[in-house]
């Protein structure tokens, strides 16, 4: 639990100029080491102990034999300081956690805490940090001389965050800002905001009420108002500006955290001249038109859109050289190009160093291709779904899986993503059967479940023994689950075969392609108990946008509906690309899932989960999500 806060008045030292607080932990620890050498030298001048031991055990043993407890602890602190200056934090930990070093007091306690914080954070030892956090008050760093105070505060905040006490870390930094106004306000406010963002709702509401002081109360209120559910980007910006009006003298109102400055200003920097570049003829025409319709539906549904300023032009990319088309559009003062949909067209931009006009591509570059600055990538990625399947396998302790994946380049990409994430999670694929539509599915499933191998073993026994052997085939017993990547017509054949070949007890996981997107209980009964991932547009019956859109456009069902939802999310992304790029952990609740951006500009989606029950998908309870900055 966070200790109660006692806030002190600001201290002003006109004669003192403190360098800006650095974020580099190594610099902090090095500076702390130099100061401690000075602090400890005076106290150790008369101690009759060897200067610097070779090992931590030597130091502990020598201190244990010394009759004067304070002198012994001074020696241990000096020894620990020497090891810390050499980067040997394990030895520092051994010394500081030893019995002779127990319960230091006064100046020795301050020296002990500073050394301990430096090594606990260097080792990322959360258990030790948690132990130290119980000994730290927010104003602990004020016990050090002015030349060390800011660095002690930074180590203290880092220790508290390592101990998952982010609220106390924020309190420490708030007090640092009060105590030394010569510190870099922007850096401190950014760190305070990061700590408050990482504080759980429960702790913020329960312990935030204990905070005393104008500045601390203002920070707590600011953190609270941006956690209100359902706030869209414009409402968040208005909330920040309203808070600034309510707290005009607050340091964060004068110098807001960088993230809040961005949120407050994004509504004023939305793209106004947008080109929607899609194929409206040829084999991709239906997909292009569905994305176009979704984009415009979301645009007209967006109450925050300024239609007097926003201009959206649609360009048909079918049969055009997209690289040439992009160069033409870049000369026309466009703010954003949404498209292309074709992978080859997107790849034609990959060798540009930077984009004169930002592009939100509706596909993905090959994995080994680096995107130029200003090129964003978004689509209904099979790889995203494969990774989510791998994560669910791990969460449900199904660490050894079998997989059925179609042949072809698309299946290759999905298999690679699945295997990579399974390896990251400590899971393995025992066997993967790649299949064609024309294959004998009985043979495919028999091979996957080990039935074919079981039969061959029985035949070998008969040949060896020279007699007929009674035989009942058995499936392999080491599998925990099956990953079935198949479209509905094929999946309806595979699933009953699992039971036929004694694998009916194995849980089955599938990507969204297993579901046509329209309820058909009579046909989908064969898929009962299959667990699959799909987008909110398909699975969320309470989706008001979908319900309204499908009344006006009843054809937007199934795969076309998924593309319509992708177009809607492309509109939402067009307003928020800078925020997703610059704010770590920022996300959007979209029609195709929870959208986040990787460092290279690729948009990733986290979908929902459902289980077929009586031939109908039943939505499963969402998994707990990591704290994120919601920018819906």
């Amino acid at each position: 639990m966070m200790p109660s806060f006692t806030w002190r008045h600001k201290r002003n030292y006109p004669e003192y100029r403190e360098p800006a607080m650095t974020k580099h932990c190594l610099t902090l620890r090095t500076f702390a080491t130099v100061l401690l050498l000075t602090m400890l030298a005076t106290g150790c001048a008369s101690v009759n102990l060897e200067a610097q031991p070779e090992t931590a055990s030597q130091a502990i043993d020598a201190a244990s034999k010394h009759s004067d407890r304070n002198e012994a602890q001074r020696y241990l602190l000096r020894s620990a300081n020497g090891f810390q200056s050499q980067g040997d934090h394990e030895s520092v930990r051994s010394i500081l956690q030893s019995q002779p070093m127990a319960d230091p007091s006064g100046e020795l306690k301050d020296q002990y805490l500073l050394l301990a914080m430096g090594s606990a954070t260097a080792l990322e030892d959360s258990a030790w940090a948690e132990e130290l956090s119980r000994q730290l008050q927010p104003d602990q760093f004020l016990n050090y001389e002015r030349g060390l105070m800011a660095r002690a505060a930074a180590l203290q905040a880092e220790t508290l965050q390592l101990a998952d006490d982010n609220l106390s870390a924020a309190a420490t930094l708030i007090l640092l800002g009060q105590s030394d106004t010569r510190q870099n306000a922007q850096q401190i406010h950014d760190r305070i905001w990061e700590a408050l963002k990482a504080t759980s709702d429960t702790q913020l509401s329960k312990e935030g009420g204990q905070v005393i002081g104008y500045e601390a109360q203002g920070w707590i209120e600011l953190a609270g108002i941006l956690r209100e559910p359902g706030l869209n980007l414009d409402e968040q910006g208005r909330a920040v500006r309203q808070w600034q009006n309510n707290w005009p003298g607050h340091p964060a109102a004068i110098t807001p955290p960088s993230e809040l400055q961005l949120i407050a200003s994004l509504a004023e920097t939305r793209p106004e001249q947008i080109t929607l570049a899609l194929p409206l003829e040829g084999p991709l025409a239906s997909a292009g038109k569905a994305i176009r319709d979704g984009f415009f539906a979301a645009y007209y549904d967006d109450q925050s859109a300024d239609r007097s300023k926003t201009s959206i032009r649609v360009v048909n990319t079918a049969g055009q050289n997209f690289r040439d088309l992009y160069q033409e559009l870049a000369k026309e003062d466009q703010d954003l190009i949404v498209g292309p949909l074709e992978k080859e067209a997107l790849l034609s931009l990959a060798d540009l160093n930077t984009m004169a006009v930002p592009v939100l591509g509706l596909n993905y570059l090959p994995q080994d291709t680096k995107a130029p600055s200003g090129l964003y990538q978004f689509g209904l990625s099979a790889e995203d779904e494969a990774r989510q399947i791998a994560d669910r396998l791990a969460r449900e302790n199904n660490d050894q899986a079998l997989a059925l994946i179609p042949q072809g380049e698309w299946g290759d990409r999905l298999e690679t993503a699945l295997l990579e994430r399974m390896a990251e999670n400590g899971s393995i694929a025992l066997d993967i059967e790649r299949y064609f539509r024309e294959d004998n599915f009985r043979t495919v499933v028999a091979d996957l479940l080990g039935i074919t191998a079981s039969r061959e073993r029985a035949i070998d026994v008969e040949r060896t023994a020279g007699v007929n052997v009674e035989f009942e085939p058995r499936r392999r017993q080491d599998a925990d689950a099956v990953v079935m990547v198949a479209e509905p017509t094929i999946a309806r054949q595979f699933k009953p075969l699992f039971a036929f070949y004694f694998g009916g007890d194995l849980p089955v996981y599938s990507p969204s392609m297993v579901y046509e997107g329209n309820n058909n209980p009579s046909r989908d009964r064969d898929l009962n108990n299959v667990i699959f991932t799909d987008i909110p547009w398909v699975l969320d019956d309470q989706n008001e946008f979908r319900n309204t859109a499908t009344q006006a456009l009843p054809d937007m069902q199934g795969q076309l509906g998924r593309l319509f939802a992708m177009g809607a999310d492309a509109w939402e992304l067009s307003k928020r690309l800078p925020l997703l790029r610059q704010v770590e952990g920022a996300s959007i609740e979209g029609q195709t899932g929870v959208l986040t951006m990787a460092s290279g500009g690729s948009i990733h989606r986290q979908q929902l989960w459902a289980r077929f029950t009586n031939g109908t998908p039943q939505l499963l309870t969402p998994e707990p999500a990591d704290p994120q900055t919601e920018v819906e």
Side-chain angles (χ1 to χ4, degrees), residues 303-361:
Q303 300 302 312
S304 69
D306 188 343
R307 300 190 226 294
S308 67
K309 294 182 178 180
T310 305
S311 172
I312 303 174
R313 177 174 56 165
V314 180
V315 174
N316 183 10
T317 61
Q320 294 207 53
N321 181 304
F322 192 80
R323 175 70 170 261
D324 293 342
L325 177 60
Y326 174 78
Q327 299 290 5
E328 293 177 15
L329 293 172
K331 299 175 183 176
E332 298 179 8
D333 200 25
Q334 297 295 297
D335 296 321
L336 178 68
I337 297 171
V338 179
L341 177 61
E342 306 92 330
K343 185 179 287 287
E344 295 77 11
L346 188 64
L347 188 58
S348 71
L349 303 178
D351 62 344
L352 295 174
N353 292 325
T354 186
M355 312 299 292
V357 177
V359 170
L360 174 59

